[in-house]
Amino acid sequence: MKKASYIVRSILVFIILFLILTGSTVLICLLNDILSGQFVSVFDSLLSAVNGTYDGNLRYYIFLAYSVIGIIVFGSWYRYRFINPFKGMQRNYQSGFTLLTILTLVITAFGIQFVGDSIVSIMDRITPTFAASYHEQIATMGIGQSLAPLMLLYVVVLGPIMEELAFRGLIYRFSRLALPFWGANVLQAALFGIFHANLVQAIYAFIFGLVLGYIAHRGRGIRYSLFTHIAVNALGCFFAGFFETVSGSFTGLAILIGVILIVFAVFAFSVEFHPLHKTKPVGQKAE
């Protein structure tokens, strides 16, 4: 029963994530209506939020509010449950950033981008309807174009922090107390894929989540998965044209390059962060 409770907590984090997104959307829509002198009801603002009929410029403030609230909620929860109880304990693993670590994570980010854009290219050919939905969502956010400063802040910084705290910080660590590593990693990656709400991104995010989960597992924390997440999103924002061109024109080669880069980087990372002795899952005391 105790193990089942950890799975329930993992799912609870996922549900809270959606509640924060919905609540932030309603809050910003309601504030906008009040400030514009429209004084509509909370129910009307909720309908506007659910239907997406709000002013497109509001999405910048919605994502900003959503990510900041998420960082506060999940950051406090993560610190209370998985950081504070273990302060002062002797570590048996590396915890800093070296040049090798940074290079390894950057190589991982390049590999993920090649694989991710290749998946998009393949989906464009076999499921154009689902791919169109994905491209519409990306265009709406402005990724690959000249991003508004607030959206850039969300995509490259605030979004990755919030998602790492939720998925690799809480969902993975709670489920890891009930499941073996690969079970917990698949669970958090699957939820990460579902969270992105369209088939193309779900497939890409699932693979991305598996890699980030492994990095968080080996690095004994989210600092390294967070760095990788930020690097991937930054590459997607500033070099989208390059990856789309290569992956679209040479899909097979791009996948091969991406897989080689990821495998090499993951191997180098696992060697660098090999623990000194066997430990129990995070959330329990080491042997």
Side-chain angles (χ1 to χ4, degrees):
M1 288 298 294
K2 188 173 182 180
K3 288 187 175 183
S5 71
Y6 290 127
I7 301 298
V8 170
R9 292 179 204 182
S10 296
I11 304 301
L12 178 61
V13 173
F14 186 66
I15 294 173
I16 291 174
L17 192 63
F18 276 102
L19 292 178
I20 292 174
L21 177 57
T22 302
S24 299
T25 306
V26 173
L27 174 63
I28 296 301
C29 288
L30 184 61
L31 286 175
N32 179 69
D33 291 335
I34 292 174
L35 292 174
S36 63
Q38 297 180 27
F39 300 105
V40 297
S41 67
V42 174
F43 178 74
D44 288 334
S45 291
L46 177 60
L47 286 178
S48 176
V50 171
N51 296 328
T53 55
Y54 51 81
D55 181 355
N57 290 327
L58 284 182
R59 71 173 47 88
Y60 303 141
Y61 302 103
I62 290 171
F63 281 120
L64 186 64
Y66 155 63
S67 57
V68 170
I69 294 172
I71 288 170
I72 293 172
V73 172
F74 297 130
S76 300
W77 194 355
Y78 178 67
R79 177 169 289 278
Y80 172 78
R81 180 60 181 83
F82 294 108
I83 300 297
N84 290 342
F86 306 100
K87 283 184 176 179
M89 291 183 63
Q90 183 177 3
R91 295 174 175 174
N92 73 319
Y93 54 91
Q94 178 179 320
S95 61
F97 282 89
T98 65
L99 179 59
L100 177 59
T101 302
I102 293 172
L103 289 175
T104 298
L105 297 179
V106 170
I107 290 172
T108 305
F110 270 90
I112 290 172
Q113 271 298 337
F114 275 120
V115 171
D117 276 277
S118 296
I119 290 173
V120 173
S121 179
I122 292 171
M123 296 297 282
D124 278 335
R125 299 166 192 169
I126 64 176
T127 58
T129 302
F130 288 111
S133 174
Y134 162 77
H135 288 298
E136 180 180 353
Q137 181 174 332
I138 293 298
T140 298
M141 295 182 69
I143 296 176
Q145 305 168 20
S146 180
L147 278 177
L150 287 181
M151 187 57 78
L152 186 64
L153 177 64
Y154 167 74
V155 171
V156 178
V157 181
L158 297 179
I161 293 175
M162 185 270 296
E163 290 178 357
E164 288 309 304
L165 284 168
F167 288 98
R168 266 62 64 180
L170 291 171
I171 293 176
Y172 166 74
R173 291 182 182 280
F174 276 131
S175 58
R176 181 69 180 92
L177 295 173
L179 300 170
F181 163 69
W182 284 109
N185 199 31
V186 168
L187 175 61
Q188 65 82 18
L191 293 177
F192 188 52
I194 293 170
F195 175 71
H196 285 78
N198 67 71
L199 180 62
V200 176
Q201 271 193 306
I203 295 173
Y204 165 63
F206 175 71
I207 297 172
F208 187 15
L210 288 177
V211 177
L212 291 177
Y214 181 82
I215 291 173
H217 167 68
R218 272 295 184 183
R220 302 282 294 183
I222 65 170
R223 60 177 66 85
Y224 305 110
S225 61
L226 173 58
F227 180 94
T228 308
H229 198 153
I230 289 174
V232 170
N233 284 19
L235 288 174
C237 287
F238 298 114
F239 301 100
F242 166 74
F243 288 104
E244 289 175 3
T245 299
V246 174
S247 300
S249 302
F250 310 99
T251 306
L253 179 61
I255 291 177
L256 179 61
I257 292 173
V259 170
I260 290 174
L261 291 177
I262 292 172
V263 170
F264 170 77
V266 164
F267 174 75
F269 188 82
S270 64
V271 170
E272 186 177 10
F273 284 84
H274 186 73
L276 300 177
H277 56 78
K278 186 177 181 181
T279 59
K280 291 183 178 181
V282 174
Q284 303 180 33
K285 292 184 178 180
E287 296 178 346

